Amino acid sequence: MTLLEVQDLRVTFRTPDGDVQAVRGVTFAVERGRTLGIVGESGSGKSVSTQTLMGLTRGAVVSGSARFEGKDLLALPPDQLRRLRGAEISMIFQDPLTSLHPLYTIGWQIMEMIRIHEPSTSKEQARKRAVEQLALVGIPQPDQRVNDYPHQFSGGMRQRAMIAMALALNPKLIIADEPTTALDATVQAQILDLMARLQKEFDTALIMITHDLGVIADMADDVLVMYAGKPVEHARRRELYYAPHHPYTVGLLESVPSATGDKTRLRPVPGQPPSLLSPPAGCSFHPRCRYVMPQCRVDEPPLPAGQHGSACWLPSDLVGIGPEVAARRQEASRAQRD
Amino acid sequence: MSLTEAQAEAEHLPEQPPGVPGKGPWRLAWERLRRDRAAMISLAVIAVIVLLALLAPVFAAITGHGPQDQFPSEGVTPEGLPVGPSATFWLGADGLGRDLLVRMLYGARISLFVGIVSTLLATVFGVIIGMVAGFYGGWVDTLLARVLDVVLSFPYLLVAIVLAAVYGAGLPLLIFVIAFFSFAAMARIVRGQTIAYREREFIEAARSLGAGKVRTMFVDVLPNLIAPVTVLASLLIPTSIVFEATLSYLGLGVDPRTPSWGAILYEATDYYRVAPGLLLFPALMLLITTLAFNLLGDGVRDALDPRADRR
Amino acid sequence: MLSVTDVRKYFPIKEGLFIKKEVGRVHAVDGVSLEVRAGETLGIVGESGCGKSTLARCITGLHHVTAGRIEFDGKDIATLDPKAFRRDVQMIFQDPYGSLNPRRRVGSIIADPLKIHRIEGDTRKRVQELMALVGLNPEHYNRFPAEFSGGQRQRIGIARALALNPRLVVCDEPVSALDVSIQAQVINLLTDLQDQLGLTYVFIAHDLSVVRYVSDRVAVMYLGQVVELAVGEDLYKTPRHPYTNALLSAASVADPDLSAKRERIVLMGDVPSPINPPTGCRFHPRCPKARERCVAEMPLLIDSGNGHLTACHFPVQPGEHLTSEHPQIQQQSTEPQL
């Protein structure tokens, strides 16, 4: 069942240098209890999209719709959106230090959140729940650590505390924005394990935003790849990794050194991402695309709906990575050019 | 596996025409400043004041009134009071029958001169001392920082009065006193900025290339200090102008016969009931000048906003 | 080419208003010995705070070592002429935004080493050659760093490091601040430059697959010490130190099937503080194989054949199954810092 359905979301920031089109038409859906991974590089609009849903992009020009259980988040009055935030939808950020208040204890912050959304809860009850939450995310001696301030926690512990806070009101959807980027590999593994376990336990839907294809490979059921403010491909996880279609997705996968120790030359995506002040005409990836065709410079390819869609003019049967597919793609783009 | 392959990977970008010198941070700041209406008006006002000050002799020639010339018959009424604005005395005359406008314009020369020269001096010494303290750190820093604390906690007006009493008032002393009390503020800010920059990776990069301390300080740190220093300097000028006016008002400034805004204001106190213009015009001039410099300083600060030079 | 013998670097922690008293020491690098052979790439991996960046700065002479010897071409670098040494050993920094002076033109930044070392000749021509070498448009020499993207700025940093024709280049996380598709460009550039110019690299990163891709030999650091050092494939296929095992199993890989097959060893807790490192083996509070001996006695880095060095009393045998369970051993003074 669909929990959140985002339709043609567009976000523009007005700056003295011109309008920055940070998000240029994003459509996706999140199912109950499933994980949607949104992957993209800096400036792809992956974070801005979800921040907009939560009403965190002040001053931006927003259009489109985002239905969460029938309610359009983008049309909701601020006080109703605030009530939803934390209780029904909660967020986990990359740097817990910026989202935890430095002058209040961890426990106080969790209690406060519970009591804001459930005013009938007594102080003692809230405290008990805060301790339970900390225990749930694996913080040792939670009844003591509940009185600690954020700076007394290590990076991994702070992220656990953030997760405890995000789960405190048993939300239906958690949006995690680069939750492990600031953490070391061994701690990242702990946090990802924890998130996956708790998600299963509470049947929560999760949107996982990251630039790390490894994290997506571990966590996501469905994947959305974003480039220059637009989704370019969406697919089930295995399909995306083993039968990608969009040349950008292929490029991303080929840019990562292989996990098997293969030392053949990497095939990076040439060039740099475009400026969002004046995105290129046609397909926004065409200036960097190996298979660019005349049509790509003029017409913007649509993103087909369904289980696997790729916003690319190359025929849909040219799917996958590897030399053979690449050669066939090359041929197809040459054929179109003639 | 050729190098050209790796080069090509980076190359084919939509590039601007080659050879065009990049728009530097200064150009960009100037472009931002030009969009700032208040700052541009202030700049124009300052330009007009400077122009008027430069043209003071011309006004003297047109009106036929030198700055020191007294006109006991035309400038003073038979009752011995200063005349108001008229065709001959455009802004009126003072109690000795001197042309107020001409004196104000000559006064502008003194005010601007003192303001700019003492700020320049304060800036040069402030930057050098602040940069050395911040960059070298350790006991050098501790010593210099304490000296600055002492300077900043001096009762400056008292010191100025004592110095004027001992050495006699005069322009060089005036400039020295003003510069002495404003360089410490500059040095403090520069020191803080230098400490922040000392930890930046590009300073470490310079060290790893083998650059010496003095070179690093002037080549790598100094260009980054220009922005905050410019802002502070543009705010120090009006402060110095007011400081000069204060000291002159108290009779500690330049030779009392030489016109300066503070001295004119002091002399006006005897007559402000009968000739309010005598007080009003120079006070207005002082206000407009300091306001213009302050607004320009604010504009420069916004234009040089460090947040804008990251990307 | 370079040999590091029992190098230690401690940073004093000072407190006090007027007279600063030393109240503790950060044991950033604590007894590291290794050598770098001409023409090879030595990779150094480890999590944040393991001392890898400090080690890099000791090797390049940016830090004076507290104890130990670093020899370049058989001569102690402390006694070498600093200018001559800098000509041979250069460094590439992590942050492409922080390592270039924002107020100076790119041409002048790249020319810096030439000017500092008073190298005669046509400076502009040399700068343009260097820019072409690293794949930048030579015509852009009079632009400012802000006009370049992250990847291009990293190329500028590389050009600057190469200006003096160094023999050894220490790369401190050269790609970790870059987007995935740009990372691959820079890695390719670094490997090409090594082939063409016969460079020797010390390559420091926390990304295991990147280090595996570029390195001939790899050293794993934990809390200021090298715990394992071996030829890359050896280390990745048959890791012997429990920490290396855990680190390799924790790293997420961009391959869902491979990732699902892997067994994760989730370590307990976080890395302890380097101010009061644990006794004995630094890893014992988190080690699944820890025993009493590990608490008491610090293991030495011992060759177990084929130049595979491991600092562990009970190294992991091939085929051995490591659990995530932590044994209950007699904890002496050092509680694991959580």
Side-chain angles (χ1 to χ4, degrees), chain B residues 235-308:
Chain B
L235 297 174
L236 267 184
I237 293 176
T239 317
S240 305
I241 290 176
V242 172
F243 199 0
E244 183 273 338
T246 312
L247 292 178
S248 296
Y249 183 91
L250 295 173
L252 304 165
V254 289
D255 181 335
R257 279 162 306 172
T258 345
S260 104
W261 291 348
I264 297 174
L265 280 170
Y266 175 70
E267 288 158 7
T269 46
D270 290 342
Y271 298 101
Y272 71 95
R273 279 166 197 272
V274 281
L278 220 47
L279 196 65
L280 199 66
F281 291 122
L284 212 59
M285 193 75 169
L286 188 60
L287 179 73
I288 291 173
T289 311
T290 50
L291 191 66
F293 271 111
N294 276 319
L295 285 176
L296 180 65
D298 280 349
V300 171
R301 185 197 342 248
D302 292 344
L304 291 171
D305 186 4
R307 276 170 299 175

Side-chain angles (χ1 to χ4, degrees), chain A residues 41-42 140 154 184 186-188 190 193 217-218 238 241-242 259-261 263-266 268-269 271-272 288, chain C residues 47-48 149 152 179-182 184-185 188 192 212-213 215 252-253 255-257 259 264 266-267 269-270 338:
Chain A
E41 300 181 291
S42 47
S154 69
D184 282 318
T186 55
V187 182
Q188 166 171 312
Q190 296 169 1
D193 266 18
D218 282 346
R238 288 199 72 254
Y241 280 87
Y242 302 124
T260 52
K263 293 212 178 182
T264 50
R265 191 181 173 78
L266 300 175
V269 184
Q272 318 286 342
R288 300 176 73 187
Chain C
E47 299 178 284
S48 54
S149 66
Q152 289 173 317
D179 273 326
V180 180
S181 67
I182 309 297
Q185 291 178 8
N188 277 352
D192 290 349
R212 180 180 198 173
Y213 180 79
S215 308
S252 47
V253 284
D255 188 334
D257 288 354
S259 179
R264 269 219 173 127
V266 177
L267 289 177
D270 291 326
L338 292 167

Side-chain angles (χ1 to χ4, degrees), chain B residues 110-111 113-114 168-178 244 252-255:
Chain B
I110 300 279
S111 293
F113 180 76
V114 171
L171 201 56
L173 181 74
L174 195 64
I175 289 175
F176 170 78
V177 168
I178 296 176
E244 183 273 338
L252 304 165
V254 289
D255 181 335

Side-chain angles (χ1 to χ4, degrees), chain A residues 21-38:
Chain A
Q21 304 167 39
V23 179
R24 305 187 293 138
V26 169
T27 299
F28 64 81
V30 187
E31 311 277 313
R32 246 175 241 284
R34 283 178 77 86
T35 300
L36 172 73
I38 302 183

Side-chain angles (χ1 to χ4, degrees), chain A residues 168-227:
Chain A
L169 297 164
N170 208 354
K172 296 184 179 115
L173 173 66
I174 295 178
I175 300 174
D177 192 349
E178 304 266 10
T180 57
T181 304
L183 305 174
D184 282 318
T186 55
V187 182
Q188 166 171 312
Q190 296 169 1
I191 298 291
L192 292 182
D193 266 18
L194 174 73
M195 285 176 70
R197 207 186 69 225
L198 293 175
Q199 186 199 6
K200 208 168 281 168
E201 205 173 312
F202 294 99
D203 198 31
T204 319
L206 177 66
I207 298 181
M208 185 86 177
I209 300 164
T210 178
H211 68 281
D212 189 334
L213 289 161
V215 171
I216 295 279
D218 282 346
M219 298 288 289
D221 299 308
D222 310 289
V223 187
L224 185 75
V225 182
M226 287 197 53
Y227 182 77

Side-chain angles (χ1 to χ4, degrees), chain B:
Chain B
M1 277 286 264
S2 70
L3 206 60
T4 45
E5 204 177 319
Q7 287 154 2
E9 279 161 7
E11 249 350 89
H12 67 263
L13 315 164
E15 292 284 0
Q16 292 165 34
V20 181
K23 274 189 194 177
W26 303 114
R27 240 323 263 289
L28 291 171
W30 170 239
E31 282 175 8
R32 275 194 290 267
L33 189 65
R34 268 181 31 190
R35 283 199 289 261
D36 186 341
R37 286 250 305 272
M40 289 323 283
I41 293 173
S42 303
L43 196 63
V45 167
I46 291 165
V48 169
I49 293 171
V50 170
L51 200 69
L52 285 175
L54 290 175
L55 293 178
V58 175
F59 280 88
I62 294 173
T63 53
H65 307 145
Q68 315 278 16
D69 298 346
Q70 302 180 8
F71 298 93
S73 45
E74 299 101 328
V76 186
T77 58
E79 292 81 35
L81 297 173
V83 297
S86 67
T88 37
F89 294 92
W90 296 356
L91 292 181
D94 68 5
L96 295 173
R98 293 176 296 194
D99 189 314
L100 178 61
L101 174 72
V102 173
R103 281 180 69 78
M104 263 172 56
L105 295 185
Y106 275 91
R109 298 180 137 202
I110 300 279
S111 293
L112 291 174
F113 180 76
V114 171
I116 290 168
V117 170
S118 56
T119 300
L120 269 179
L121 275 177
T123 304
V124 170
F125 285 104
V127 166
I128 291 175
I129 290 177
M131 200 160 70
V132 168
F135 197 77
Y136 281 85
W139 67 267
V140 177
D141 181 34
T142 313
L143 183 74
L144 288 174
R146 293 296 157 267
V147 169
L148 294 183
D149 286 343
V150 170
V151 170
L152 282 172
S153 44
F154 259 43
Y156 61 92
L157 210 51
L158 217 60
V159 174
I161 292 169
V162 170
L163 283 176
V166 174
Y167 296 102
L171 201 56
L173 181 74
L174 195 64
I175 289 175
F176 170 78
V177 168
I178 296 176
F180 182 74
F181 285 110
S182 35
F183 97 97
M186 179 67 82
R188 225 184 217 189
I189 295 214
V190 168
R191 173 178 170 266
Q193 293 279 332
T194 308
I195 289 174
Y197 278 112
R198 195 177 59 189
E199 306 300 325
R200 294 280 294 272
E201 242 183 9
F202 64 81
I203 299 295
E204 202 173 25
R207 278 181 58 209
S208 82
L209 295 170
K213 280 197 170 173
V214 176
R215 186 196 145 89
T216 311
M217 220 157 54
F218 283 95
V219 174
D220 282 311
V221 178
L222 192 58
N224 287 288
L225 293 175
I226 293 175
V229 165
T230 312
V231 172
L232 188 60
S234 63
L235 297 174
L236 267 184
I237 293 176
T239 317
S240 305
I241 290 176
V242 172
F243 199 0
E244 183 273 338
T246 312
L247 292 178
S248 296
Y249 183 91
L250 295 173
L252 304 165
V254 289
D255 181 335
R257 279 162 306 172
T258 345
S260 104
W261 291 348
I264 297 174
L265 280 170
Y266 175 70
E267 288 158 7
T269 46
D270 290 342
Y271 298 101
Y272 71 95
R273 279 166 197 272
V274 281
L278 220 47
L279 196 65
L280 199 66
F281 291 122
L284 212 59
M285 193 75 169
L286 188 60
L287 179 73
I288 291 173
T289 311
T290 50
L291 191 66
F293 271 111
N294 276 319
L295 285 176
L296 180 65
D298 280 349
V300 171
R301 185 197 342 248
D302 292 344
L304 291 171
D305 186 4
R307 276 170 299 175
D309 71 34
R310 275 292 279 192
R311 229 159 257 250

